Structure formats: structure tokens, C-alpha cells
């Protein structure tokens, strides 16, 4: 198994190289540059051109790419034109918020999806099962930004149960219990909003797998031997139905990455998702390329983790 994991890790290297080249070319294809709209209109064009030259924006694209990749492997993603700070420092200030928000979202997603999928499949065609199916259709159809706005309006503005902006209250002191509580309090509404829509695929797969597993021969044999129903479901059906959960791990990571951009922008949550939108609006190429590269690597690693988890859940599965 360790040889297989090592082989997959080595295969990630060309994938990351191709990803970095693709990201850099797309970033350069964007209209404008960091100096577009960010300089006083009265500034002399020659001065602007000197600034572009000093920033290396007039160099051939392949020279810029090699310089960017070399520095990136050393942990240097350049200087942000928009925030006037090193890109690494800016991402470091925001990434913690996104990581904790993602962890809470994953916990809530599976806390909702597991019981819904299991009981829906177990009690097929019941009122509960039909309610879950309707919930799946609605959550799959509604766009995340519309749902987030509804949650923000109802629970943030109308009921005032949760804060509507930011990632922590400005009145608390860092390092205190109140600071930790404030950060958690600011995460609840964005995490619930994203989790309620992220459960759709997991619930549907788990429900279908439970329904199919109930018809398998070994389940019928266990029931014929008088094994209690609860034991059949926990030891036999759930074990087989858990494979889609492992397979969906990489999908959940990708969904969290894409969903965090919308969620953080909607709730003005200071994470890398909002940073990404701000960087695009400001044509801050250094931040854009760094974020997309990091998120792309996280997605590739998510696929690897998913394969490893699947091989652990079912030893018959071998990573190809």
C-alpha cells in the first residue's frame, strides 16, 4: 500500500507542473494589469510604463513563469499590488479562517447527511424518506449564493441571531476565550448555509447504497439467521454503504473550495475566498495565481486522500 501511495505522490508532481502553467497562462490572459485603474489618471504614461518594467510585467511570459515558479517553490509568491504586502503574509492571515470554516462545514455536512441518508434508505417510501427526497431536490436546485443571502437576511438581519459580517468581533482581545467564542460564533451561519446544500450528493448516494445493500445475499442470510435488524444495519449494510462517503471525500473538498468563495463573499467573512474575489477585482495577479495554485494542489491531494480512505474502508479496492 505504501508503494502505491508513493507512486501516486510522484504522479502528483507533473500534475502540479501542468496546473501551475495553466494557471499562469490564464492569469496573463486576463484583461488589464495591476496598474489598470489603480493609478491616478493624471500620472504620466511613461511613469506607468517604468512601473510595469520594474515589476517585470514587460518580460516574455516564459521568463515570468520560470521566475514565478522558482520563487513559489521557495515560499515566495511575490508582492501584492493591491494590499502592498507579501502574498504569503496576506494568505497566512486569511487561511486560518477558511480552514476552521471548512472543518466546521464538513462536520455539519456529515452530521446532517449520515442520519438522513441512512434512515431514508432504511425506511424507504416512508414519509421521512419522501421528505428527504424533496429536501434533496430543493437543495440541489437552489444556487448557493441565493440560499446564503436568504440565510443572511432571515437569521442575520431579521432575527439577529448571528453576526452578518466579519470573522471575529473587534471588541474582543486575541488569545482569550471570548476571542475563540467570537470566531466560532461568526462561523456558525456561513457553515450551516454551506452544509445544508453540501449534503445533497452524500445523502442521495448513501440512501441508494443502503437500499441496494438491503437486497444483497449476505444481508438476507443474516436476517434469516435471526440477527437483530439494528445489528444488520450497523455491521453489514452501513459498512458497504460507507464506500460512497469515502469516494465523495474529494468531491466534498472541491465543493468546499468553490463554495467558500461565494459564502465568504456573501457573509463578508475574511477568508481566502473573499481574498480571491478582491484580488480578481483589483487585478492582483500575484494573489490570484498563488491562491489558485494552492487550491488546485489541495484538490489534487483531496483525490489522493479519497483513494487512500477507500482502500482502508474496503481492502479489495486497490489504488490504480
Amino acid at each position: 500500500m505504501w508503494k502505491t501511495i508513493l507512486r501516486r505522490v510522484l504522479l502528483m508532481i507533473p500534475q502540479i507542473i501542468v496546473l501551475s502553467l495553466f494557471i499562469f497562462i490564464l492569469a496573463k490572459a486576463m484583461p488589464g494589469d495591476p496598474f489598470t485603474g489603480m493609478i491616478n489618471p493624471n500620472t504620466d504614461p511613461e511613469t506607468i510604463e517604468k512601473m510595469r518594467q520594474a515589476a517585470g510585467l514587460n518580460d516574455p511570459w516564459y521568463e515570468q513563469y520560470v521566475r514565478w515558479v522558482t520563487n513559489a517553490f521557495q515560499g515566495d509568491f511575490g508582492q501584492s499590488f493591491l494590499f502592498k504586502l507579501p502574498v504569503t503574509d496576506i494568505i497566512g492571515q486569511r487561511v486560518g479562517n477558511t480552514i476552521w470554516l471548512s472543518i466546521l462545514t464538513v462536520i455539519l455536512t456529515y452530521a446532517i447527511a449520515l442520519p438522513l441518508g441512512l434512515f431514508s434508505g432504511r425506511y424507504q417510501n416512508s414519509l421521512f424518506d419522501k421528505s428527504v427526497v424533496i429536501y434533496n431536490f430543493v437543495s440541489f436546485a437552489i444556487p448557493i449564493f441565493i440560499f446564503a443571502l436568504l440565510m443572511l437576511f432571515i437569521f442575520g438581519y431579521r432575527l439577529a441571531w448571528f453576526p452578518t459580517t466579519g470573522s471575529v468581533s473587534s471588541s474582543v482581545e486575541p488569545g482569550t476565550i471570548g476571542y475563540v467564542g467570537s470566531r466560532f460564533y461568526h462561523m456558525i451561519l456561513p457553515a450551516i448555509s454551506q452544509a445544508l446544500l453540501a449534503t445533497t450528493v452524500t445523502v442521495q448516494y448513501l440512501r441508494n447504497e443502503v437500499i441496494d445493500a438491503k437486497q444483497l445475499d449476505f444481508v438476507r442470510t443474516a436476517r434469516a439467521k435471526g440477527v437483530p435488524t439494528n445489528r444488520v444495519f450497523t455491521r453489514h449494510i452501513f459498512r458497504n454503504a460507507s464506500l460512497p462517503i469515502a469516494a465523495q471525500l474529494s468531491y466534498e473538498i472541491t465543493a468546499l473550495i468553490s463554495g467558500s468563495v461565494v459564502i465568504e463573499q456573501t457573509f463578508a467573512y475574511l477568508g481566502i475566498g473573499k481574498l480571491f474575489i478582491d484580488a480578481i477585482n483589483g487585478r492582483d495577479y500575484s494573489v490570484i495565481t498563488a491562491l489558485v495554485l494552492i487550491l488546485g494542489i489541495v484538490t489534487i491531494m483531496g483525490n489522493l486522500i479519497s483513494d487512500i480512505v477507500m482502500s482502508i474502508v474496503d481492502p479489495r479496492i486497490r489504488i490504480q
Side-chain angles (χ1 to χ4, degrees):
M1 180 176 177
W2 291 109
K3 292 182 179 179
T4 305
I5 295 175
L6 178 60
R7 184 168 64 250
R8 285 298 305 271
V9 171
L10 293 177
L11 287 174
M12 289 171 56
I13 296 177
Q15 292 177 340
I16 293 175
I17 293 176
V18 173
L19 175 67
S20 65
L21 180 61
F22 186 68
I23 291 170
F24 187 84
I25 293 176
L26 284 182
K28 287 301 175 183
M30 291 177 59
D33 57 42
F35 300 103
T36 302
M38 300 297 294
I39 301 178
N40 191 316
N42 298 324
T43 304
D44 185 9
E46 294 183 0
T47 303
I48 299 176
E49 189 62 26
K50 290 181 181 179
M51 295 174 66
R52 289 195 176 98
Q53 184 68 32
L57 298 179
N58 292 336
D59 296 341
W61 70 269
Y62 50 86
E63 292 184 7
Q64 297 183 50
Y65 171 74
V66 172
R67 182 168 59 244
W68 173 67
V69 169
T70 303
N71 293 333
F73 276 111
Q74 300 174 359
D76 180 14
F77 290 99
Q79 190 85 1
S80 170
F81 293 94
L82 184 62
F83 299 95
K84 311 301 181 184
L85 291 171
V87 175
T88 305
D89 293 346
I90 300 172
I91 295 177
Q93 295 171 2
R94 303 284 190 94
V95 70
N97 291 337
T98 298
I99 289 176
W100 286 113
L101 177 61
S102 300
I103 292 175
L104 180 59
T105 302
V106 169
I107 294 175
L108 292 175
T109 298
Y110 283 105
I112 298 171
L114 289 180
L116 289 183
L118 286 174
F119 287 105
S120 178
R122 180 173 180 176
Y123 303 106
Q124 184 184 7
N125 296 325
S126 65
L127 179 61
F128 178 80
D129 178 41
K130 294 177 181 178
S131 300
V132 171
V133 172
I134 294 175
Y135 163 74
N136 267 356
F137 276 116
V138 173
S139 59
F140 183 78
I142 186 171
I144 187 171
F145 68 91
I146 293 180
F147 185 72
L149 287 174
L150 289 174
M151 296 287 286
L152 181 64
F153 176 75
I154 296 173
F155 297 101
Y157 289 103
R158 300 292 292 183
L159 300 177
W161 288 357
F162 300 100
T164 57
T165 59
S167 58
V168 67
S169 176
S170 59
S171 60
V172 295
E173 183 180 352
T176 62
I177 297 179
Y179 181 84
V180 176
S182 178
R183 290 190 63 178
F184 179 76
Y185 186 44
H186 281 73
M187 287 192 298
I188 294 177
L189 189 57
I192 292 177
S193 302
Q194 190 170 0
L196 286 174
L197 297 187
T199 58
T200 305
V201 177
T202 304
V203 169
Q204 191 61 38
Y205 269 108
L206 188 56
R207 174 184 178 273
N208 294 341
E209 287 295 323
V210 169
I211 294 174
D212 292 340
K214 289 192 300 184
Q215 310 300 324
L216 297 177
D217 292 338
F218 71 90
V219 174
R220 293 179 178 178
T221 302
R223 284 179 169 175
K225 290 182 178 180
V227 179
T229 303
N230 290 334
R231 191 173 180 181
V232 171
F233 269 88
T234 54
R235 290 198 174 185
H236 299 284
I237 295 179
F238 178 72
R239 182 177 178 85
N240 284 271
S242 61
L243 287 177
I245 300 177
Q248 285 297 115
L249 180 61
S250 60
Y251 172 83
E252 295 290 350
I253 294 176
T254 305
L256 283 177
I257 291 173
S258 58
S260 66
V261 176
V262 179
I263 289 293
E264 291 180 6
Q265 183 68 16
T266 303
F267 289 91
Y269 185 82
L270 300 180
I272 59 176
K274 189 176 187 307
L275 176 63
F276 183 65
I277 297 297
D278 294 338
I280 292 177
N281 293 332
R283 302 294 192 274
D284 199 341
Y285 295 131
S286 300
V287 176
I288 295 173
T289 52
L291 284 177
V292 177
L293 179 63
I294 293 174
L295 296 178
I297 293 175
V298 169
T299 302
I300 294 175
M301 293 181 63
N303 292 327
L304 174 63
I305 294 173
S306 177
D307 291 339
I308 294 175
V309 172
M310 287 187 64
S311 66
I312 294 175
V313 173
D314 189 349
R316 296 171 300 176
I317 297 178
R318 290 295 179 264
I319 304 174
Q320 299 298 325

